[in-house]
Amino acid sequence: MSNVEERFRKMVEDSQDWFWEFDENANFTYVSPGIRNLLGYEPEELIGVNAFDLMDADEAQRVRRHFDPIAKKYLPFKNLENVNIHKDGYKVVIESSGTPIFDKAGRFRGYRGIDRDITERKATEEALRQSQANLYEAKHMAKVGSWQFDIENNRLTWSDETYRIFGFKPQSFDANYEAFFDAVHPDDRALVSDAYSGSIRHGQNDYEIEHRIIRKETGEVRYVHEKCRHERDASGKAVQSIGMVQDITERKVTEMALLAATQAAEAANRAKGLFLAKVSHEIRTPLTTIVGFGELLEDAELTSEHRKYLAAINAASNTLSLLINDILDLSKIDAGELVIRLEDVHLPNLIDKLAKSQELQIAKHSLSLHVSIDADVPDLLVGDPLRIQQVLHNLLGNAIKFTAQGAISIDVSVLEEGASRVLLDISVTDTGIGIAAELHERIFEPFAQVFDANSRHYSGSGLGLSISRSLAGLMGGTVELESQVGTGSAFHLLIPLQKKTVDISEKPLPEIEPISGSMPALNILLVEDNQINIQFIKTVLENLGHKVMTAENGKVALDYLNTNVFDLVLMDIEMPVINGIDTLKTLRELEPLSGKHLTVIALTAYALMGDREKYLKMGFDGFLKKPFTTRELVNELIRVVPG
Ligand code: ADP
């Protein structure tokens, strides 16, 4: 054997592929050792074995259909795929190539060739094919199309799905920019072209937009989401854009329907709230008269029978007043009309005042009250003291109402402390009847009570907790409950409050001037919505010997003026419900009926528009610019009060 032959022999014998020869009947006459690697046989095992016996019957039949016509013509074959069975029984995908063998006389003697295992390659190809199919399917299902725009040559290519999204048969024409732009909803065309050319001009490579298209055939409007990316050459010039377009009509329609429904529901709730607010406000006016006259009647001479009736009327009208106030609050919250104010909150004072207001009730029930405020709770914070007080009043009132014996405690602690805010836990704990776990959430709903109000055992409307939680929510907090039947309840007002940086707590009230000799004691109505101002002005006036009634806005003031006689009105200008100017207008319009002129002083914080002349022209008798001193107040009183 020559060197060359030897080298070829070695190559054949060492190869991982399998070299073979078979005769005209396809029975093997030579099998290289590569067979071990490929099908697990020893070469000599296969000598004389038919090549098609290495396949199962169906596969053999399939392969013969390809092979026989080739063999008939003694042609070579290349990369003929066939599945053989490994000695261990599993399938191996093989690629066979062969050339015919002829003997010296030129007679066909069989084939000589090489087989190669392509199982792995086939598996990869199959996986790729499958994933492409999946992608296609997914794109179709998600209604995602793709496109490519060759900017240089002004050529646009669309995927099948893109054609479908735009309402065309896939590849039914050559896509172009005009066809696309034509389909864009006329109102969205500027948006689309600005996004596209704008991003190219400004060197921005990616953008996303949502716009509408109109399908030409049907006139149907669809919503699409487009994502686009520009590819630029070395000089930064955009040469190609690729993009995807997704039909989002269903999502958009659902979103819009949801939004409309939410808006309608909110509007309905607001309308309900406004209606209730109006009605309860209207009820409050005559009710004030009933309560007022009821109280007056108590001083009259009555028979004991009549006194009993009167007590019942007064008790009922008081209950009604409380209920109306609750409904008014709840409806204001629903109507979004309840405004949270930011003022100084001095917690120790606030809780002290609260405890004092309930002293009688606590004593009546033979309960004890303990207050503890942790040392790290800042004395002075910023929040809405009135609303905090209202929530705690509700909670304390309930604790007293539902506790037959034992103790009630109010504890204040810091839950979290930040640089400018603290989260406080103000809890009201009682040793009362407790609340079953399954009712812990329900009792916060309006009108929800554990015991039916008709049982008459416990009074109340079932609105207190609902209002308390809503108020806490408006202040950024909430009300939580821990309770066990028979052991007691702990209601926690969790509320964030701002820290006050400079401590100006308890600024002393200004020096009080002695009552001026000539000034008579006056019946004054103070119309003002700011609690701090009320406190200040009221104290000054009362110390001067005057009687002061307060109204928190113009509407309430007009109600009071209906049923009471005042010598003087101090009227704030900026107030909710009815402002000072409108209140004065109404008041002056009614004056011809009574024939009396009521002296009204304007209180204004608006220094800029606050020139005295302007207010006097409007019909005010006097004018005070906030903040004013006691001296200024007294001087203005002396100036405007006749005599
Ligand atoms: P009201 O007290 O006017 O009925 P609330 O909304 O304040 O309305 O309370 C709702 C219900 O929750 C009460 O009727 C009562 O059944 C229950 N409840 C509230 N506070 C307590 C408490 N401290 N102990 C036991 N039950 C309570």
Side-chain angles (χ1 to χ4, degrees), residues 277-290 292-293 324-325 328 525-527 549-566 569 571 575 577-578 582-584 586-587 590 598:
K278 183 114 190 75
V279 168
S280 39
H281 210 281
E282 292 305 316
I283 294 175
R284 227 158 61 151
T285 316
L287 202 54
T288 317
T289 319
I290 296 172
F293 282 106
I324 290 296
N325 285 340
L328 188 62
L525 175 64
L526 170 60
V527 193
M549 197 163 164
T550 59
E552 72 260 31
N553 62 50
K555 173 87 174 93
V556 179
L558 288 173
D559 289 349
Y560 288 173
L561 285 163
N562 244 342
T563 49
N564 297 273
V565 179
F566 296 99
V569 177
M571 177 96 71
M575 283 181 303
V577 192
I578 302 184
D582 289 343
T583 310
L584 181 86
T586 314
L587 199 150
L590 293 173
L598 185 60

Coordinates of all heavy atoms in Angstrom, one line a residue, residues 277-290 292-293 324-325 328 525-527 549-566 569 571 575 577-578 582-584 586-587 590 598:
A277 N -75.5 67.5 51.4 CA -74.9 68.7 52.1 C -76.0 69.8 52.1 O -76.2 70.5 53.1 CB -73.7 69.1 51.4
K278 N -76.6 70.0 50.9 CA -77.5 71.1 50.8 C -78.7 70.9 51.7 O -79.1 71.7 52.5 CB -78.0 71.2 49.3 CG -78.9 72.3 49.0 CD -78.2 73.3 48.0 CE -79.0 74.5 47.8 NZ -79.0 75.4 48.9
V279 N -79.3 69.6 51.6 CA -80.5 69.3 52.4 C -80.2 69.4 53.9 O -80.9 70.1 54.7 CB -81.0 67.9 52.1 CG1 -82.0 67.5 53.1 CG2 -81.5 67.9 50.7
S280 N -79.0 68.8 54.3 CA -78.8 68.9 55.8 C -78.5 70.3 56.3 O -78.9 70.7 57.4 CB -77.6 67.9 56.2 OG -76.6 68.0 55.2
H281 N -77.9 71.1 55.3 CA -77.7 72.5 55.7 C -79.0 73.2 55.9 O -79.2 74.0 56.8 CB -76.8 73.1 54.6 CG -76.0 74.2 55.2 ND1 -76.5 75.4 55.5 CD2 -74.7 74.2 55.6 CE1 -75.5 76.2 56.0 NE2 -74.4 75.4 56.1
E282 N -79.9 72.9 55.0 CA -81.2 73.6 55.0 C -82.0 73.1 56.3 O -82.7 73.9 56.9 CB -82.1 73.2 53.8 CG -81.5 73.8 52.5 CD -81.4 75.3 52.6 OE1 -82.3 76.0 53.1 OE2 -80.3 75.8 52.2
I283 N -81.8 71.9 56.7 CA -82.5 71.4 57.9 C -81.9 72.1 59.1 O -82.6 72.3 60.1 CB -82.4 69.9 58.0 CG1 -83.1 69.2 56.8 CG2 -82.9 69.4 59.3 CD1 -82.9 67.7 56.8
R284 N -80.6 72.4 59.0 CA -79.9 72.9 60.2 C -80.5 74.3 60.6 O -80.6 74.6 61.8 CB -78.4 73.1 59.9 CG -77.7 72.5 61.1 CD -76.3 72.1 60.8 NE -75.5 73.2 60.3 CZ -74.2 73.3 60.4 NH1 -73.6 72.3 61.1 NH2 -73.5 74.3 59.9
T285 N -80.9 75.1 59.6 CA -81.4 76.4 59.9 C -82.7 76.4 60.8 O -82.6 76.9 61.9 CB -81.7 77.2 58.6 OG1 -80.6 77.0 57.7 CG2 -81.9 78.7 58.9
P286 N -83.7 75.7 60.4 CA -84.9 75.6 61.3 C -84.6 74.9 62.6 O -85.1 75.2 63.7 CB -86.0 74.9 60.5 CG -85.2 74.2 59.4 CD -84.0 75.0 59.1
L287 N -83.7 74.0 62.5 CA -83.3 73.2 63.7 C -82.6 74.1 64.8 O -82.9 74.0 66.0 CB -82.4 72.1 63.3 CG -82.3 70.9 64.3 CD1 -83.7 70.3 64.5 CD2 -81.4 69.8 63.7
T288 N -81.8 75.0 64.3 CA -81.2 76.0 65.2 C -82.3 76.7 66.0 O -82.2 77.0 67.2 CB -80.4 77.0 64.4 OG1 -79.7 76.3 63.4 CG2 -79.4 77.7 65.3
T289 N -83.3 77.1 65.2 CA -84.4 77.8 65.9 C -85.1 76.9 66.9 O -85.4 77.3 68.1 CB -85.5 78.2 64.8 OG1 -84.8 78.6 63.7 CG2 -86.4 79.2 65.4
I290 N -85.3 75.6 66.6 CA -86.0 74.7 67.5 C -85.1 74.6 68.8 O -85.6 74.7 69.9 CB -86.2 73.4 66.9 CG1 -87.2 73.5 65.7 CG2 -86.8 72.3 67.9 CD1 -87.3 72.2 64.8
G292 N -82.8 76.5 69.9 CA -82.7 77.8 70.6 C -83.9 78.1 71.4 O -83.8 78.4 72.6
F293 N -85.0 78.0 70.8 CA -86.3 78.2 71.5 C -86.6 77.2 72.6 O -87.1 77.5 73.7 CB -87.5 78.4 70.6 CG -87.4 79.8 69.9 CD1 -87.1 79.9 68.6 CD2 -87.8 80.9 70.7 CE1 -87.0 81.2 68.0 CE2 -87.7 82.2 70.1 CZ -87.4 82.3 68.7
I324 N -77.6 65.6 62.0 CA -77.5 66.4 60.8 C -76.1 66.9 60.6 O -75.6 66.9 59.5 CB -78.5 67.7 61.0 CG1 -79.9 67.2 60.9 CG2 -78.2 68.8 60.0 CD1 -80.3 66.7 59.5
N325 N -75.4 67.2 61.7 CA -74.0 67.6 61.6 C -73.2 66.4 61.0 O -72.3 66.7 60.1 CB -73.4 68.0 62.9 CG -73.9 69.3 63.3 OD1 -74.4 70.1 62.5 ND2 -73.9 69.6 64.6
L328 N -74.0 66.1 57.3 CA -73.4 67.2 56.6 C -71.9 66.9 56.4 O -71.3 67.1 55.3 CB -73.5 68.5 57.4 CG -73.1 69.8 56.8 CD1 -74.0 70.0 55.5 CD2 -73.3 71.0 57.7
L525 N -71.4 89.5 66.3 CA -71.3 88.2 65.6 C -70.0 88.2 64.8 O -69.7 89.1 64.1 CB -72.5 88.1 64.5 CG -72.4 86.9 63.6 CD1 -72.5 85.6 64.4 CD2 -73.5 86.9 62.5
L526 N -69.2 87.2 65.2 CA -67.9 87.1 64.5 C -68.0 86.0 63.4 O -68.3 84.9 63.7 CB -66.8 86.7 65.5 CG -65.5 86.3 65.0 CD1 -64.8 87.5 64.2 CD2 -64.5 85.9 66.1
V527 N -67.8 86.5 62.1 CA -67.9 85.5 61.0 C -66.5 85.2 60.6 O -65.9 86.1 60.0 CB -68.8 86.1 59.9 CG1 -69.1 85.0 58.9 CG2 -70.0 86.7 60.4
M549 N -70.7 85.8 69.4 CA -71.2 84.5 68.8 C -70.4 84.3 67.5 O -70.0 85.3 66.9 CB -72.7 84.7 68.4 CG -73.4 83.4 68.2 SD -75.1 83.7 68.3 CE -75.7 82.2 67.6
T550 N -70.0 83.1 67.2 CA -69.2 82.9 66.0 C -69.9 82.1 64.9 O -70.7 81.2 65.2 CB -67.9 82.2 66.3 OG1 -68.2 80.9 66.9 CG2 -67.0 83.0 67.3
A551 N -69.6 82.4 63.7 CA -70.2 81.6 62.6 C -69.0 81.3 61.7 O -68.2 82.2 61.4 CB -71.2 82.5 61.8
E552 N -68.9 80.1 61.2 CA -67.7 79.7 60.4 C -67.7 80.1 59.0 O -66.7 80.0 58.3 CB -67.4 78.2 60.6 CG -68.4 77.3 59.8 CD -69.4 76.7 60.7 OE1 -69.8 77.3 61.7 OE2 -69.9 75.5 60.4
N553 N -68.9 80.6 58.5 CA -68.9 81.1 57.1 C -70.1 82.0 56.9 O -71.0 82.1 57.8 CB -68.9 80.0 56.1 CG -70.1 79.0 56.2 OD1 -71.2 79.5 56.2 ND2 -69.8 77.7 56.3
G554 N -70.2 82.6 55.7 CA -71.3 83.6 55.5 C -72.7 82.9 55.6 O -73.6 83.6 56.1
K555 N -72.8 81.7 55.2 CA -74.1 81.1 55.1 C -74.6 80.9 56.6 O -75.7 81.2 56.9 CB -73.9 79.7 54.5 CG -75.2 78.8 54.5 CD -76.1 79.1 53.4 CE -77.3 78.1 53.3 NZ -78.5 78.6 54.1
V556 N -73.7 80.4 57.4 CA -74.1 80.2 58.8 C -74.4 81.6 59.5 O -75.3 81.8 60.2 CB -72.9 79.5 59.6 CG1 -73.3 79.4 61.1 CG2 -72.6 78.2 59.0
A557 N -73.6 82.6 59.1 CA -73.8 83.9 59.6 C -75.2 84.4 59.3 O -75.9 85.0 60.1 CB -72.8 84.9 59.1
L558 N -75.6 84.2 58.0 CA -76.9 84.7 57.6 C -78.0 84.0 58.4 O -79.0 84.5 58.7 CB -77.1 84.5 56.1 CG -76.3 85.5 55.2 CD1 -76.4 85.1 53.7 CD2 -76.8 86.9 55.4
D559 N -77.8 82.7 58.6 CA -78.7 81.9 59.4 C -78.9 82.5 60.8 O -80.0 82.7 61.3 CB -78.3 80.4 59.6 CG -78.4 79.7 58.3 OD1 -79.0 80.2 57.4 OD2 -77.8 78.6 58.2
Y560 N -77.7 82.8 61.4 CA -77.8 83.4 62.8 C -78.5 84.8 62.8 O -79.2 85.1 63.7 CB -76.3 83.6 63.3 CG -75.6 82.3 63.7 CD1 -74.3 82.3 64.0 CD2 -76.3 81.1 63.7 CE1 -73.7 81.1 64.4 CE2 -75.7 79.9 64.0 CZ -74.4 79.9 64.4 OH -73.7 78.8 64.7
L561 N -78.2 85.5 61.7 CA -78.7 86.9 61.7 C -80.2 86.9 61.5 O -80.9 87.8 61.9 CB -78.1 87.7 60.5 CG -76.6 88.1 60.8 CD1 -75.9 88.5 59.5 CD2 -76.6 89.3 61.7
N562 N -80.7 85.8 61.0 CA -82.2 85.6 60.8 C -82.9 85.5 62.2 O -84.0 85.9 62.3 CB -82.4 84.2 60.1 CG -83.0 84.4 58.8 OD1 -83.6 85.5 58.6 ND2 -82.9 83.4 57.9
T563 N -82.2 84.9 63.1 CA -82.8 84.5 64.4 C -82.3 85.3 65.6 O -82.8 85.1 66.7 CB -82.7 83.0 64.6 OG1 -81.3 82.7 64.5 CG2 -83.5 82.2 63.7
N564 N -81.3 86.1 65.4 CA -80.7 86.8 66.5 C -80.5 88.2 66.2 O -80.4 88.6 65.0 CB -79.3 86.2 66.9 CG -79.4 84.8 67.3 OD1 -79.6 84.5 68.4 ND2 -79.2 83.9 66.3
V565 N -80.4 89.1 67.2 CA -80.2 90.5 67.0 C -78.7 90.8 67.4 O -78.3 90.5 68.5 CB -81.2 91.3 67.8 CG1 -80.9 92.8 67.6 CG2 -82.6 91.0 67.4
F566 N -78.0 91.4 66.5 CA -76.6 91.8 66.8 C -76.4 93.3 66.7 O -77.1 93.9 65.9 CB -75.6 91.0 65.9 CG -75.6 89.5 66.0 CD1 -76.4 88.7 65.2 CD2 -74.9 88.9 67.1 CE1 -76.4 87.4 65.3 CE2 -74.9 87.6 67.3 CZ -75.7 86.8 66.4
V569 N -71.3 93.2 63.4 CA -70.7 92.0 62.7 C -69.3 92.2 62.3 O -69.0 93.3 61.7 CB -71.6 91.6 61.5 CG1 -71.0 90.4 60.8 CG2 -73.0 91.4 61.9
M571 N -66.7 90.6 59.9 CA -66.9 89.7 58.8 C -65.6 89.4 58.1 O -65.0 90.3 57.4 CB -67.9 90.3 57.8 CG -68.1 89.4 56.6 SD -69.5 88.4 56.8 CE -70.8 89.6 56.8
M575 N -63.9 83.1 52.8 CA -64.5 82.0 53.6 C -65.1 81.0 52.7 O -65.5 81.4 51.6 CB -65.6 82.6 54.5 CG -65.1 83.3 55.8 SD -66.6 83.8 56.7 CE -67.4 84.9 55.6
V577 N -68.1 78.4 51.4 CA -69.6 78.4 51.2 C -70.1 79.8 50.7 O -70.4 79.9 49.5 CB -70.4 78.0 52.5 CG1 -71.8 77.8 52.1 CG2 -69.8 76.7 53.1
I578 N -70.1 80.8 51.5 CA -70.4 82.1 51.0 C -69.4 83.1 51.6 O -69.2 83.1 52.8 CB -71.8 82.6 51.5 CG1 -72.9 81.7 51.1 CG2 -72.1 84.0 50.9 CD1 -74.3 82.1 51.4
D582 N -70.2 88.5 49.4 CA -71.6 88.1 49.1 C -72.5 88.1 50.3 O -73.7 88.4 50.1 CB -71.5 86.7 48.5 CG -70.9 86.7 47.1 OD1 -70.8 87.8 46.5 OD2 -70.4 85.7 46.6
T583 N -72.0 87.8 51.4 CA -72.8 87.8 52.6 C -73.3 89.2 52.9 O -74.5 89.4 53.2 CB -72.0 87.2 53.8 OG1 -71.4 86.0 53.5 CG2 -72.9 87.0 55.1
L584 N -72.4 90.1 52.8 CA -72.8 91.5 53.0 C -73.8 92.0 52.1 O -74.8 92.6 52.4 CB -71.5 92.4 52.9 CG -71.9 93.9 53.2 CD1 -71.8 94.2 54.7 CD2 -71.0 94.9 52.5
T586 N -76.1 90.2 50.5 CA -77.4 89.6 50.9 C -78.0 90.4 52.1 O -79.2 90.7 52.2 CB -77.3 88.2 51.3 OG1 -76.5 87.5 50.3 CG2 -78.6 87.4 51.4
L587 N -77.1 90.6 53.1 CA -77.5 91.3 54.3 C -78.1 92.7 54.1 O -79.1 93.1 54.6 CB -76.2 91.3 55.1 CG -76.2 91.5 56.6 CD1 -75.0 90.8 57.1 CD2 -76.1 93.0 56.9
L590 N -81.5 92.8 52.5 CA -82.6 92.5 53.4 C -82.9 93.6 54.4 O -84.0 93.7 55.0 CB -82.3 91.2 54.3 CG -82.2 89.9 53.5 CD1 -81.7 88.8 54.3 CD2 -83.6 89.6 52.9
L598 N -77.2 97.5 59.9 CA -76.4 96.7 60.8 C -74.9 97.1 60.5 O -74.5 97.2 59.3 CB -76.5 95.2 60.4 CG -75.8 94.2 61.3 CD1 -76.2 94.3 62.8 CD2 -76.0 92.8 60.8

